[in-house]
Amino acid sequence: MSSDVSVVNGALLSLGARPINAFTDPTPEARIATRRYADVRDDLLRQHPWNFALKRTSLPASTTAPAWEHTNAYPVPADFLRLHELNNPTRTPYTIENTADGTIIATDLDSPIEINYV
């Protein structure tokens, strides 16, 4: 598996810039990489369900129900970027919502729900 620094260095070399040894290097390249790397990485991961980035998990319902429409709220994992699939054979409606407490999947499905996510 490539390290974050090796991924950045591949991009820097393609641009004709100097590679870095670490994100903490006192160079303009390292400072820009530190500011931009996580956002660019997450944006690319959201654009496509890359096989290496897919995870499966079961989510228990929260004790706090959504404010309206649905009966259950399922907080997503901390590393959640994008829902790829919800095991939902009955095609029960659901929404993905950002709340004050974090991102949830709001639905009438019974707990637990099974998801495949990036």
Side-chain angles (χ1 to χ4, degrees):
M1 178 189 264
S2 297
S3 71
D4 294 347
V5 171
S6 67
V7 171
V8 167
N9 282 335
L12 289 171
L13 291 170
S14 293
L15 294 169
R18 294 177 299 166
I20 63 174
N21 293 315
F23 285 102
T24 56
D25 287 356
T27 64
E29 293 84 1
R31 285 191 293 274
I32 291 170
T34 300
R35 282 196 310 267
R36 298 286 302 138
Y37 180 75
D39 290 337
V40 171
R41 178 202 59 214
D42 290 354
D43 184 50
L44 287 170
L45 289 171
R46 283 184 190 101
Q47 289 179 28
H48 183 78
W50 306 100
N51 289 338
F52 73 89
L54 290 174
K55 292 184 178 181
R56 294 176 183 265
T57 194
S58 294
L59 302 177
S62 171
T63 56
T64 306
W68 57 280
E69 187 178 3
H70 298 290
T71 56
N72 293 315
Y74 297 89
V76 299
D79 61 350
F80 178 93
L81 293 176
R82 172 183 185 233
L83 181 67
H84 177 59
E85 182 180 9
L86 170 64
N87 186 2
N88 185 5
T90 59
R91 298 190 184 270
T92 302
Y94 67 91
T95 59
I96 298 174
E97 303 173 5
N98 291 314
T99 69
D101 297 325
T103 304
I104 63 164
I105 299 172
T107 183
D108 294 330
L109 289 168
D110 292 329
S111 182
I113 62 171
E114 297 169 333
I115 66 169
N116 192 355
Y117 71 98
V118 175

